[in-house]
Amino acid sequence: MRITWNIEKKRGNLRPELSYDVVLEGHEKALALPYVRIDSTIPEPAASWQAHCYPHELERAGHAPAGVYQLATPNHAAGTLRQSLRLPWRADNAYPEVEASFRELRRAFEAALAAAHDSHPMDERGELALSASLKREMAPALMAERLLRLAR
């Protein structure tokens, strides 16, 4: 699995946008892994749909975030996931929780990967036939029936 991310903020009162991609490798897809989701520590700003935050409003007025974002990996069928999240405006443009959250997503994914890998493959075949004792019991009647059919 490869996680790449980019935080882009334009000059002014615009909030930064976090874009991330998660790409599974072939052997990870082959294990049929489900989605892995975690609650990150990345704050979701109030009114996160809004691309800007004016001075003295929302997070710039000290209001608490609406919550935190969930981060996810793709399932095995998709193999890739692209997501964009709006971050709260910060004067210092520092978002250390982004890398920490992606590290936690990787840890959760690695646990799911290890569990799937521990489910070992198998290829079992079998065959059953009539027992020899039943064949011996039925043989005289079958032979008699065949002989009678030939005589007709």
Side-chain angles (χ1 to χ4, degrees), residues 72-95:
T73 64
N75 71 9
H76 74 283
T80 61
L81 176 85
R82 169 160 261 201
Q83 191 98 25
S84 291
L85 311 170
R86 193 152 288 132
L87 301 176
W89 188 96
R90 290 184 181 161
D92 64 358
N93 287 335
Y95 298 90

Side-chain angles (χ1 to χ4, degrees), residues 6-142:
N6 180 53
I7 301 173
E8 184 178 356
K9 181 194 176 297
K10 295 179 180 168
R11 185 176 301 278
N13 296 314
L14 295 166
R15 288 173 165 161
E17 190 167 308
L18 166 65
S19 299
Y20 75 93
D21 293 294
V22 182
V23 179
L24 299 182
E25 295 180 22
H27 68 279
E28 295 164 339
K29 286 192 230 179
L31 291 173
L33 292 167
Y35 290 105
V36 173
R37 293 183 196 280
I38 63 156
D39 287 329
S40 74
T41 56
I42 302 169
E44 178 181 0
S48 60
W49 54 268
Q50 191 171 295
H52 64 277
C53 182
Y54 294 134
H56 312 294
E57 290 184 0
L58 303 170
E59 64 264 22
R60 293 177 79 177
H63 293 203
V68 294
Y69 286 110
Q70 281 194 334
L71 300 178
T73 64
N75 71 9
H76 74 283
T80 61
L81 176 85
R82 169 160 261 201
Q83 191 98 25
S84 291
L85 311 170
R86 193 152 288 132
L87 301 176
W89 188 96
R90 290 184 181 161
D92 64 358
N93 287 335
Y95 298 90
E97 59 276 284
V98 170
E99 184 172 347
S101 293
F102 284 125
R103 287 183 185 278
E104 181 58 25
L105 179 62
R106 181 183 65 186
R107 187 208 58 73
F109 177 79
E110 287 175 349
L113 182 64
H117 183 71
D118 285 345
S119 178
H120 298 286
M122 64 176 284
D123 183 5
E124 183 176 314
R125 297 166 199 256
E127 183 178 329
L128 293 175
L130 289 177
S131 65
S133 62
L134 182 58
K135 284 182 181 179
R136 276 192 300 277
E137 281 182 39
M138 294 175 56
L142 290 173

